[in-house]
């Protein structure tokens, strides 16, 4: 009986990932990365605005928790904390605590996070670019009498 190494077992399991299957762990990952706060946090850390006039295509840079909270209008402290923790757990961001008074906590996107940032940045830009058309379509749909 041949033994299977851990690397071989992981490789075999990877072949079996299929997000169309209810039990596939990639579904949980898709659920997490499709969250609006994940998208916006990664866009901020991956090259987000250093100032309000910036187009968001800058270089990745570390950001303090308070800076992220100010930038992400509408995010609650609880949601920002939970989202950052999940991103850290999955390896998309790193958290650095500097023992100052008060304590300084910064977040920085990892290489894995940068690869995801490349994908989600396109979604953010697409949404911003096509919002007028979507709003017009919604208005047309909502004011058109239903058939049947």
């Amino acid at each position: 009986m041949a033994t299977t190494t851990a690397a071989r077992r992981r490789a075999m399991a990877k072949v079996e990932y299929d997000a169309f299957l209810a039990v596939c762990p990639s579904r949980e990952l898709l659920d997490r990365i499709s969250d609006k706060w994940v998208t916006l946090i990664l866009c901020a850390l991956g090259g987000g605005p250093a100032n309000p006039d910036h187009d968001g295509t800058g270089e990745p840079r570390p950001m303090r928790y308070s800076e992220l909270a100010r930038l992400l209008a509408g995010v609650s402290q609880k949601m920002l904390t939970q989202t950052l923790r999940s991103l850290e757990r999955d390896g998309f961001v790193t958290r650095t605590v500097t023992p100052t008074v008060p304590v300084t906590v910064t977040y920085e996107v990892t290489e894995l996070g940068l690869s995801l940032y490349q994908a989600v940045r396109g979604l953010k830009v697409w949404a911003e670019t096509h919002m007028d058309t979507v709003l017009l379509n919604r208005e047309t749909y909502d004011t058109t009498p239903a058939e049947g």
Side-chain angles (χ1 to χ4, degrees), residues 16-27:
E16 298 171 16
Y17 292 152
D18 182 352
F20 288 113
L21 300 175
V23 297
C24 184
S26 64
R27 277 208 180 180

Side-chain angles (χ1 to χ4, degrees), residues 57-131:
T57 57
E59 292 295 315
R61 67 182 181 89
M63 294 178 78
R64 293 181 66 176
Y65 180 94
S66 59
E67 186 178 7
L68 283 167
R70 278 191 305 276
L71 182 62
L72 302 173
V75 69
S76 68
Q77 182 178 349
K78 178 181 177 182
M79 183 54 65
L80 181 56
T81 299
Q82 286 177 346
T83 305
L84 286 166
R85 283 183 183 158
S86 71
L87 289 171
E88 184 181 9
R89 180 176 183 238
D90 288 342
F92 296 123
V93 301
T94 57
R95 177 178 184 261
T96 304
V97 179
T98 306
T100 56
V101 178
V103 172
T104 303
V105 178
T106 57
Y107 294 88
E108 190 168 7
V109 68
T110 63
E111 288 299 316
L112 181 62
L114 278 175
S115 68
L116 179 57
Y117 160 72
Q118 298 302 324
V120 299
R121 182 181 177 279
L123 289 173
K124 176 186 170 289
V125 170
W126 185 93
E128 293 167 343
T129 302
H130 293 89
M131 196 64 234

Side-chain angles (χ1 to χ4, degrees), residues 1-21:
M1 175 179 199
T3 58
T4 306
T5 65
R8 176 74 179 137
R9 284 191 303 274
R10 283 192 302 275
M12 288 170 47
K14 184 177 182 178
V15 172
E16 298 171 16
Y17 292 152
D18 182 352
F20 288 113
L21 300 175

